[in-house]
Structures are given as C-alpha cells and as structure tokens.
Amino acid sequence: MRDLIARIRDAVDGPLEVLVHNAGGGGFAPTESTPEEMFDDAFNLHAKAPFILTGAFAPAMAERGRGAIVNVGSLSTSMAASGTCAFQASKAALSMMTRSWTAEYGPRGVRVNSSIPASSSPG
C-alpha cells in the first residue's frame, strides 16, 4: 500500500481531488468452507486498502477544504445471501467507513459518498 501511495503521489500533478474505492471481487464459500486467506483477502481489498488510502489522502483534502471520496459498495450489505459472508461483511465495513469518514472529513469540506451499483449483488 505504501508503494501504491507513493506512485499515486508521483503520478498526480498537484493535490489529489477525488479518491474512488472501486475494488470488487472476492471468493464466495459457505462459512465453514471459507479459508482464512479468503476472509483476509476480502477485508484487505474492501476495508483495509480503502482505510489506508483514505488516511493517506483525506487529511490533505480536509486541509484544503475540498475533495471527494467515493466508495463503491454493494447491494449485499442490505440483503443476505448464502455463501457470501466474508464478502458481505467486508463491504458492510466499507459502508460504515463511509459514514465515519462523512462525520470525520465532511465538516472540513470533503464529500464522502457511497455508490451502490444495481448489479453488485453476489450470487
């Protein structure tokens, strides 16, 4: 992640204005068949990476009093589906982070929103 942050900073001419967390995918399996690695991968992809990237770029947006963070969520955070527990839990974490970042950065001019594609329902 630190290498990615450095590459983004090198590639962007000026301050980062928009940050979009659009990672998707992950394995699906019943809870008892979900390997720990699959669970960790889901949370690394949908929760940890957005958390680290937001921590790296949102403070500068807040200092400037503007910027936008868009988290691409999933319909699965509001409906249950068999064999998708790790995926759904990780996307639910991103949904809650959207709310937390709205409270944290919103008062300082950073818009934080979630977009939920209609076709994002697993299974």
Side-chain angles (χ1 to χ4, degrees):
M1 289 304 303
R2 300 299 170 204
D3 181 52
L4 176 60
I5 292 166
R7 289 186 309 175
I8 292 169
R9 287 188 171 134
D10 289 344
V12 175
D13 184 26
L16 191 71
E17 297 288 337
V18 179
L19 180 60
V20 179
H21 300 296
N22 188 33
F28 302 101
T31 300
E32 69 273 10
S33 302
T34 300
E36 186 174 345
E37 181 178 280
M38 184 186 295
F39 182 89
D40 290 343
D41 287 348
F43 273 84
N44 286 338
L45 183 63
H46 302 128
K48 186 175 183 179
F51 181 82
I52 291 171
L53 290 167
T54 297
F57 294 107
M61 291 178 184
E63 285 178 23
R64 289 190 312 277
R66 68 182 186 281
I69 299 169
V70 179
N71 297 321
V72 179
S74 173
L75 287 172
S76 72
T77 60
S78 62
M79 55 197 247
S82 179
T84 63
C85 186
F87 173 84
Q88 289 181 307
S90 66
K91 283 295 195 173
L94 182 62
S95 178
M96 184 49 70
M97 287 191 292
T98 302
R99 291 176 180 94
S100 295
W101 292 330
T102 298
E104 187 172 348
Y105 297 111
R108 297 186 279 160
V110 180
R111 294 181 322 278
V112 184
N113 295 292
S114 180
S115 174
I116 300 176
S119 63
S120 68
S121 177

